[in-house]
């Protein structure tokens, strides 16, 4: 009988649909992946220079009282490392002193953290005849990414922009072809 109404499907209309809808979709995906790669790669490049990683923060407070849930008969309480001021590295001692001067009781350790394991579990530190509870409250390591992430992200953004701009360029190309064919 009769075929479906409408113009016959040719290679030109299939190519037009691909360039009109497919290229912008791929372009948008490339732009989004490129933005993610560029942000991640750019952050990895500048994080150390702006001091955004590497220095753990310690918290210093009064030692917790041994009362409450873990203090009854037969109860075990955690064994905390006991350190004297002489056992601390110069960076650790300086951080403890700065934390004691701060209202929040926290300071960055700028240098060697020789007692990292003890501080991560919590330690009792004797300083000037007073015992303090010291623990690592924040430790942000530097993000390690491949150095090619930033340039590849930028290239993906540029290719994606090209994909997004394909339909207007394709329409202009068709208009020029039609104008030449009809003598405009």
């Amino acid at each position: 009988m009769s075929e479906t109404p409408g113009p016959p499907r040719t290679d030109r209309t299939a190519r037009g649909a691909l360039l009109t809808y497919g290229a912008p979709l791929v372009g948008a995906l490339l732009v989004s992946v490129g933005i993610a790669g560029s942000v991640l790669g750019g952050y990895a490049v500048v994080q150390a220079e702006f001091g955004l990683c590497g220095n753990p923060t310690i918290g210093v407070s009064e030692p917790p009282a041994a009362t409450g849930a873990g203090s009854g008969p037969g109860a075990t309480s955690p064994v905390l490392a006991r350190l004297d001021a002489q056992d601390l590295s110069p960076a650790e001692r300086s951080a403890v002193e700065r934390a004691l001067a701060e209202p929040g009781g926290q300071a960055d350790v700028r240098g060697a953290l020789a007692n990292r394991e003890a501080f991560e579990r919590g330690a009792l530190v004797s300083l000037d005849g007073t015992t303090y509870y010291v623990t690592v409250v924040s430790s942000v390591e530097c993000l390690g990414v491949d150095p090619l992430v930033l340039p590849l992200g930028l290239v993906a953004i540029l290719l994606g922009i090209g994909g997004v701009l394909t339909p207007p360029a394709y329409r202009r190309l068709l208009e020029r072809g039609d104008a030449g064919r009809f003598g405009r």
Side-chain angles (χ1 to χ4, degrees), residues 78-175:
V79 177
L80 299 177
R82 293 187 177 271
L83 302 170
D84 199 33
Q86 292 84 3
D87 299 333
L88 303 178
S89 71
E92 292 170 340
R93 184 177 176 124
S94 172
V96 168
E97 290 170 352
R98 280 186 284 120
L100 289 171
E102 291 291 322
Q106 297 182 2
D108 291 342
V109 180
R110 297 183 188 128
L113 189 59
N115 297 302
R116 179 183 281 274
E117 279 188 38
F119 288 156
E120 285 177 348
R121 286 177 290 174
L124 297 174
V125 175
S126 297
L127 182 68
D128 299 329
T130 308
T131 302
Y132 300 100
Y133 177 71
V134 180
T135 186
V136 174
V137 294
S138 174
S139 180
V140 180
E141 299 295 324
C142 285
L143 178 68
V145 295
D146 193 0
L148 289 176
V149 172
L150 177 62
L152 288 176
L154 295 174
V155 168
I157 290 172
L158 293 175
L159 288 173
I161 289 172
V164 170
L165 295 178
T166 298
Y170 181 67
R171 276 187 235 115
R172 280 230 166 97
L173 182 67
L174 288 178
E175 289 172 1

Side-chain angles (χ1 to χ4, degrees), residues 12 15 170-184:
R12 184 173 175 178
R15 183 179 45 209
Y170 181 67
R171 276 187 235 115
R172 280 230 166 97
L173 182 67
L174 288 178
E175 289 172 1
R176 284 186 188 153
D178 289 342
R181 191 170 37 173
F182 294 114
R184 290 187 200 174

